[in-house]
Amino acid sequence: MSNAPQSPTAAQPDTDYQASMRALQSAIAHFQGCNEAELRELADDMSQLGRMAEKLQSGRVDIAVFGEISTGKSALINALCGEQRAAVNVRGGWTKDVWHVPWESAGYCVPGFADSQVVLVDTPGLNEVDGAKRGEMAREAAARVDLVLFVVDSDLNDTEYRALVDLAATNKPLILVLNKTDLYRPDQLNDLLTVLNGPRYAGIIRPENIVLAQADPREVEYVIEAADGSTRSEYRKQPPQVEEVKARIIELLAADGKALIALNAAIFAADKSDRMAALRVRFREEEAARTIWSFAVTKSLAVALNPVGVVDVLGGVAVDAAMVVTLGRIYGISITTANAQSLAMSIGKSAGLVTLLEATVSWASSAFKSLTVGFGTVLTAVPQGAAAGFGSFIVGQAARFYFQHGASWGEQSPKAVVAQILENTDKRSVLEQLKTEILKKLSTNRHADETDKGWFGKK
């Protein structure tokens, strides 16, 4: 084996390949930090990442074939393979799913991969009925492949043109295959090629990537003359003519094959990582919002319905600490109950008059309950509960900000964060919702109803 150093040009594909493999492995590893709900939502994405890693390891090249109904997509695949591999039917919309067809006769192998193979991916027609679902399948297929064939049989209509523009935006090699050229006279074919090479397609498809094909030529009439001078007509099937398509594919792969599969894998890993991160943020934000509201209501009710003075306020403090611990768990940060209580109290101090109002109402109401031996619960429930719940709501929002920033206040102070939260919070709306929850609970609370009767007399 030669020990001569590789040139930078020769080493680059291997460097790209190794970087892409690391990107895929890193993306797969990130999934391990997801909770059960996130894993359920991302199961298909993780499966796709696994298949992409296998594809990269084996050096497999995937080529997607796109086009409208009956442009000859499946016929082109069969012609390239030299046998009937993809389903073809005269009815429009025959291709219902994405089909993967090994192209053994391609004659190409990615350098360094003895088991490398080329796979042709047949996709549903762009304009099929119920095309939304199949269109999504086609887009997903395009995200995974390394090269795209776009099959047309005439100048592009609006649907085809939009699809071509979208595919060009993926920055993957794109070959426009003008199929069924046997249906045109030479002058008509020249006019069509002039249009396809014109300004409408400039910057979308490169002229050298426009190729001609006859994937399923029409039958040609032959007149056969017998020895006796009589004649008869016979229609014969013509062999497919797809050499130009195959030649251009092999040229592109020979020039950039390994770099193409590496780049595609890296882009795919980045897209999946972004989706996972966005989903995890959304899931955590939704769960955090539900948690904050749930604890705010719980604290409202716990404080409002507890007939024992002092104990009601202390119970509310415990609720806030439990809420902070729960929020920390949602964001993957462990915090002790003691530290959670300190954090909640620190936030409360930063809230200033808001928590002062809560404290004043809570302790005054608590004292009233003590003086009235618990019967004051009915009179104090709504104002005390709403004030306590609102204070808990603000503590929860501030704690969420703290955990969102990795258990840090970032560049701001707790007081500035709380002030911003208060400014963005519709206090009246929150209080009204809390009061509604309290009144709803009171109306269904048998013990509160009995207390009401004892204090004010029978209704």
Side-chain angles (χ1 to χ4, degrees):
M1 179 181 293
S2 172
N3 292 320
Q6 283 186 305
S7 67
T9 302
Q12 188 62 44
D14 288 331
T15 302
D16 293 341
Y17 173 84
Q18 293 163 2
S20 295
M21 183 57 74
R22 287 195 297 271
L24 281 169
Q25 292 169 343
S26 175
I28 292 172
H30 285 163
F31 276 81
Q32 297 174 357
C34 296
N35 58 37
E36 291 184 7
E38 293 165 348
L39 285 175
R40 283 194 299 271
E41 182 77 14
L42 293 167
D44 188 52
D45 297 87
M46 190 167 185
S47 176
Q48 291 178 23
L49 276 172
R51 291 196 297 270
M52 180 59 77
E54 293 173 1
K55 169 181 164 1
L56 188 59
Q57 286 177 330
S58 66
R60 191 180 80 238
V61 177
D62 286 346
I63 302 173
V65 186
F66 289 90
E68 279 203 334
I69 296 172
S70 302
T71 55
K73 298 183 295 87
S74 299
L76 179 64
I77 290 175
N78 291 332
L80 289 170
C81 293
E83 56 182 309
Q84 192 78 9
R85 302 297 297 273
V88 179
N89 194 284
V90 295
R91 292 181 297 132
W94 181 252
T95 304
K96 303 298 183 184
D97 299 294
V98 174
W99 293 82
H100 293 71
V101 181
W103 185 16
E104 288 93 349
S105 61
Y108 175 78
C109 178
V110 175
F113 295 86
D115 297 327
S116 173
Q117 66 173 167
V118 179
V119 174
L120 299 171
V121 182
D122 192 12
T123 63
L126 298 173
N127 59 342
E128 288 192 68
V129 178
D130 191 25
K133 180 179 179 181
R134 292 172 200 154
E136 181 62 29
M137 286 193 295
R139 283 188 292 274
E140 289 179 359
R144 294 192 293 269
V145 302
D146 309 292
L147 189 149
V148 174
L149 301 183
F150 195 90
V151 185
V152 297
D153 57 11
S154 63
D155 188 15
L156 280 65
N157 59 36
D158 288 342
T159 300
E160 291 173 310
Y161 183 78
R162 287 196 299 270
L164 183 68
V165 171
D166 289 341
L167 289 170
T170 64
N171 295 314
K172 296 183 180 181
L174 178 60
I175 298 176
L176 182 66
V177 180
L178 177 56
N179 193 24
K180 302 184 181 182
T181 57
D182 54 311
L183 301 181
Y184 294 93
R185 297 193 313 267
D187 60 317
Q188 292 175 325
L189 185 58
N190 286 332
D191 289 343
L192 182 53
L193 286 172
T194 299
V195 171
L196 294 176
N197 282 282
R200 186 187 186 201
Y201 303 99
I204 300 175
I205 186 76
R206 297 169 63 182
E208 62 268 29
N209 286 342
I210 300 176
V211 296
L212 308 181
Q214 296 177 23
D216 186 19
R218 60 182 175 176
E219 293 182 334
V220 175
E221 181 182 8
Y222 286 82
V223 178
I224 302 171
E225 184 176 351
D228 60 3
S230 62
T231 60
R232 64 183 175 85
S233 294
E234 182 179 302
Y235 284 86
R236 296 179 183 176
K237 187 71 175 177
Q238 301 300 296
Q241 296 182 24
V242 294
E243 293 76 12
E244 193 174 339
V245 180
K246 180 177 178 179
R248 186 55 187 154
I249 293 173
I250 299 303
E251 284 177 9
L252 288 172
L253 294 181
D256 302 305
K258 194 169 185 178
L260 285 178
I261 64 172
L263 177 62
N264 181 45
I267 292 173
F268 190 81
D271 287 344
K272 291 301 180 184
S273 295
D274 289 346
R275 169 172 155 73
M276 179 189 67
L279 185 79
R280 292 182 71 177
V281 168
R282 177 168 63 81
F283 267 48
R284 291 182 179 189
E285 289 300 287
E286 290 175 355
E287 187 177 357
R290 289 193 299 270
T291 297
I292 292 170
W293 183 251
S294 175
F295 273 96
V297 171
T298 298
K299 183 177 178 181
S300 294
L301 297 174
V303 171
L305 300 179
N306 193 327
V308 181
V310 179
V311 175
D312 55 357
V313 177
L314 297 179
V317 174
V319 171
D320 280 349
M323 175 179 61
V324 172
V325 170
T326 304
L327 288 172
R329 191 179 303 118
I330 290 172
Y331 288 96
I333 298 174
S334 179
I335 184 170
T336 64
T337 301
N339 287 338
Q341 186 169 331
S342 296
L343 178 61
M345 293 176 67
S346 173
I347 294 171
K349 291 178 181 178
S350 298
L353 291 176
V354 172
T355 49
L356 177 61
L357 174 63
E358 178 197 344
T360 302
V361 173
S362 295
W363 285 106
S365 300
S366 181
F368 185 64
K369 289 179 188 178
S370 300
L371 291 173
T372 58
V373 198
F375 289 114
T377 301
V378 175
L379 297 179
T380 61
V382 175
Q384 184 187 21
F390 184 75
S392 189
F393 182 83
I394 297 302
V395 168
Q397 296 293 350
R400 177 164 68 170
F401 179 96
Y402 178 79
F403 291 125
Q404 283 173 335
H405 292 75
S408 166
W409 295 108
E411 298 180 356
Q412 302 185 66
S413 67
K415 190 171 184 178
V417 171
V418 174
Q420 183 177 342
I421 291 171
L422 287 170
E423 184 179 349
N424 295 330
T425 300
D426 186 345
K427 181 178 180 181
R428 179 178 299 179
S429 175
V430 174
L431 287 173
E432 287 301 321
Q433 290 181 63
L434 289 170
K435 289 177 181 178
T436 299
E437 294 288 344
I438 295 170
L439 292 171
K440 186 189 304 180
K441 182 66 176 178
L442 285 174
S443 67
T444 58
N445 189 306
R446 178 174 58 86
H447 300 292
D449 188 52
E450 290 301 318
T451 302
D452 185 25
K453 292 177 181 179
W455 181 252
F456 292 103
K458 291 186 178 181
K459 297 178 181 177

